[in-house]
């Protein structure tokens, strides 16, 4: 008996293979719609998909924070304290 051998590519995702899709989703921590969008955008190469997923995660992690105005930061970081303009009377 001869069994038919399937050609498997180690560097390509077969979206019809549910096991392979599940493994890739778990490894890259993606949902199925996210994986589908990545495959549509960059192709079925596992390296390209993982690179794009890493870039997206990095962009999400480095979201801008609410920072105070530069004048406030400069006033707080000024090493020289302000001198009073008039002397304080001592009673």
């Amino acid at each position: 008996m001869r069994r038919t051998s399937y050609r498997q590519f180690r560097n390509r995702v077969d979206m019809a293979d549910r096991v392979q899709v599940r493994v890739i989703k778990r490894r890259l921590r993606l949902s199925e719609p996210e994986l589908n969008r990545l495959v549509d955008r960059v192709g079925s190469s596992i390296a390209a998909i993982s690179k794009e997923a890493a870039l997206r995660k990095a962009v999400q992690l480095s979201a801008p924070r609410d920072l105070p105005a530069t004048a406030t930061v400069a006033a707080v970081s000024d090493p020289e304290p302000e001198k009073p303009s008039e002397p304080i009377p001592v009673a």
Side-chain angles (χ1 to χ4, degrees):
M1 277 206 270
R2 267 195 121 173
R3 292 186 182 186
T4 59
S5 63
Y6 298 103
R7 291 188 77 196
Q8 293 181 347
F9 295 103
R10 290 183 172 190
N11 57 353
R12 300 274 179 203
V13 177
D14 182 14
M15 295 302 285
D17 185 4
R18 295 184 56 75
V19 174
Q20 190 178 18
V21 169
R22 187 178 72 223
V23 168
I24 296 293
K25 284 185 342 185
R26 281 185 184 173
R27 184 176 293 163
L28 299 177
R29 295 183 183 141
L30 296 171
S31 66
E32 190 149 355
E34 289 174 333
L35 181 62
N36 287 336
R37 275 184 262 140
L38 283 176
V39 169
D40 288 342
R41 193 164 141 222
V42 297
S44 62
S45 169
I46 294 175
I49 293 169
S50 61
K51 182 178 177 182
E52 188 69 24
L55 286 173
R56 284 187 176 198
K57 301 257 185 210
V59 167
Q60 289 175 354
L61 290 177
S62 66
R65 299 178 184 166
D66 295 331
L67 297 175
T70 57
T72 306
V73 173
V76 171
S77 65
D78 189 18
E80 193 174 313
E82 291 184 26
K83 297 177 183 176
S85 60
E86 298 179 18
I88 301 173
V90 179

